[in-house]
Amino acid sequence: MISLLLLTLVLPNPTAREPLAFSRQVYLMGTQATLSARNASRADALADLDVLLASLEESEDALSTWRDTPFNRLNTLPEDRLTTLSPWLCRLVTDLYIWTARTGGAFDPGVGPLLDTWRVQSHARVASPGEVREVLAASRLSSWRFDAGACALARPHGGRLDSGAFGKGEALDRAASAGRRGSAWLIDLGGQVSVGGAPAAFPWRVGIAHPLHRDQVLFEVELQMGSVATSGGSERDQHVGKVRVGHILDPRTGKPASFSGSVVVWHQRALVADILSTALYVMGTEAGLRWAERNEIAACFLVPDRSRVRIRPTGAFTRHFGVRGAPR
Ligand code: AMP
Ligand code: MG
């Protein structure tokens, strides 16, 4: 009797089948994006995908720093003259100031002039110490003047903002707000995955990539809400002679960040997950783990160690996903 009772308790309910997911793949925000939705019917799920896709396209048109967008127009503001921002840009710029300060400048969207000096977004070169010194001050958000009360921003001489480290996160938050009620959805933008609406019984399973071989899954996490962002070099690192010029720079020194693994961050807000994965990458393993523990952030460093990978999660990451520190 007791064993029968146990059986009925532990066996999954055969009628509670996982609903089918419908997916679309599109090229978006500089990456191959996958959108999935589960809903009561195929028509509903396809309508969910349309809404999410439209939102992502709108965000790209607003935020890209690769073409003319409202965000990129900040980079053509007249120098040293306060210009009024639209309400959404004002909110975003406020967030960027907050997180730049909280991370001690490890994340800094003002890094544009440095990115250009190292040419990390095309064919990398090694910048000389003199060249770095010349652009360092203009590569900080703090050298822009922001009047939060008036929602006005002034660009410093040579200043250029870059949305690379937070644009996907902001776009995913906007998609989450646009998503239709009653739908369970997942958006995978390459380095960042967001989900919403999944019932507890059917979380999405998300693969966390090996830091050096992005096509290999190191482990999986179950996601019911929020966003997982990964920052890492592997694919985008360039080598100039013997010098590795990664695409993530340390705005405090003006040089490429030296860490060579990857960092995974979960946060309810995709913008914050995106910002913090970049910031922790810049801080490196030990300082990054200390910062993330102090701030109770669910983060995990994946540190290549000869043929293995050392997994270094924070307490919050372990509590959230059951992932413990171990070599794999
Ligand atoms: P992510 O892949 O989210 O870590 O963002 C990396 C991208 O953000 C780079 O390709 C640059 O466009 C930009 N970036 C590089 N270093 C920084 C930094 N320290 N803070 C803010 N943005 C950065
Ligand atoms: Mg980022």
Side-chain angles (χ1 to χ4, degrees):
M1 181 63 192
I2 287 176
S3 58
L4 245 185
L5 186 67
L6 270 179
L7 259 183
T8 49
L9 283 176
V10 294
L11 281 179
N13 176 355
T15 58
R17 277 228 217 93
E18 186 164 359
L20 274 183
F22 293 86
S23 296
R24 281 178 75 170
Q25 291 220 335
V26 280
Y27 192 79
L28 218 126
M29 308 199 89
T31 189
Q32 189 65 39
T34 305
L35 287 69
S36 302
R38 300 188 301 224
N39 208 327
S41 69
R42 181 175 188 273
D44 277 326
L46 293 180
D48 295 337
L49 292 178
D50 283 345
V51 169
L52 296 172
L53 183 56
S55 169
L56 290 171
E57 282 171 344
E58 224 171 79
S59 294
E60 188 173 20
D61 290 342
L63 291 166
S64 173
T65 33
W66 291 93
R67 52 192 164 86
D68 181 39
T69 61
F71 185 82
N72 211 12
R73 258 168 250 149
L74 299 178
N75 292 326
T76 57
L77 288 183
E79 286 173 10
D80 295 323
R81 216 175 65 212
L82 281 170
T83 306
T84 308
L85 302 178
S86 61
W88 74 265
L89 261 178
C90 184
R91 267 195 306 277
L92 178 61
V93 169
T94 303
D95 265 332
L96 297 179
Y97 268 90
I98 289 172
W99 287 102
T100 300
R102 279 194 194 159
T103 61
F107 162 81
D108 192 324
V111 74
L114 274 172
L115 295 172
D116 298 339
T117 301
W118 289 89
R119 270 200 238 132
V120 298
Q121 291 171 326
S122 52
H123 296 291
R125 63 189 285 274
V126 177
S128 72
E131 286 172 321
V132 168
R133 256 196 318 275
E134 216 167 278
V135 296
L136 200 56
S139 299
R140 296 197 173 124
L141 190 57
S142 58
S143 65
W144 291 61
R145 195 150 46 94
F146 183 42
D147 180 339
C151 269
L153 189 68
R155 189 168 72 93
H157 177 67
R160 182 175 84 74
L161 300 175
D162 185 86
S163 60
F166 68 85
K168 285 181 184 175
E170 169 70 6
L172 288 166
D173 280 336
R174 289 163 161 229
S177 317
R180 303 188 329 146
R181 285 168 71 94
S183 90
W185 56 268
L186 173 149
I187 302 171
D188 182 347
L189 290 183
Q192 187 161 6
V193 176
S194 275
V195 305
F202 301 119
W204 297 96
R205 294 191 71 79
V206 175
I208 303 296
H210 188 291
L212 302 180
H213 312 288
R214 307 272 306 159
D215 49 343
Q216 282 177 30
V217 172
L218 200 62
F219 59 87
E220 284 189 332
V221 294
E222 289 192 343
L223 268 194
Q224 207 193 326
M225 59 182 147
S227 188
V228 169
T230 303
S231 285
S234 64
E235 279 161 0
R236 296 173 68 185
D237 279 358
Q238 301 187 60
H239 290 266
V240 184
K242 286 193 175 147
V243 183
R244 180 174 70 100
V245 183
H247 69 115
I248 300 179
L249 301 182
D250 185 340
R252 302 165 303 182
T253 61
K255 296 186 195 150
S258 57
F259 180 54
S260 59
S262 58
V263 189
V264 182
V265 174
W266 176 87
H267 200 276
Q268 180 61 47
R269 287 181 69 192
L271 175 73
V272 178
D274 196 1
I275 286 174
L276 291 186
S277 66
T278 309
L280 293 176
Y281 185 95
V282 170
M283 291 180 205
T285 314
E286 301 308 330
L289 278 172
R290 277 197 302 276
W291 189 94
E293 289 292 5
R294 218 172 33 246
N295 291 281
E296 293 184 36
I297 300 297
C300 186
F301 279 78
L302 309 178
V303 189
D305 181 7
R306 275 167 253 147
S307 60
R308 313 188 85 180
V309 177
R310 277 162 54 76
I311 297 180
R312 307 272 312 267
T314 60
F317 196 89
T318 299
R319 281 195 298 284
H320 208 84
F321 297 117
V323 172
R324 291 177 191 288
R328 302 222 179 177

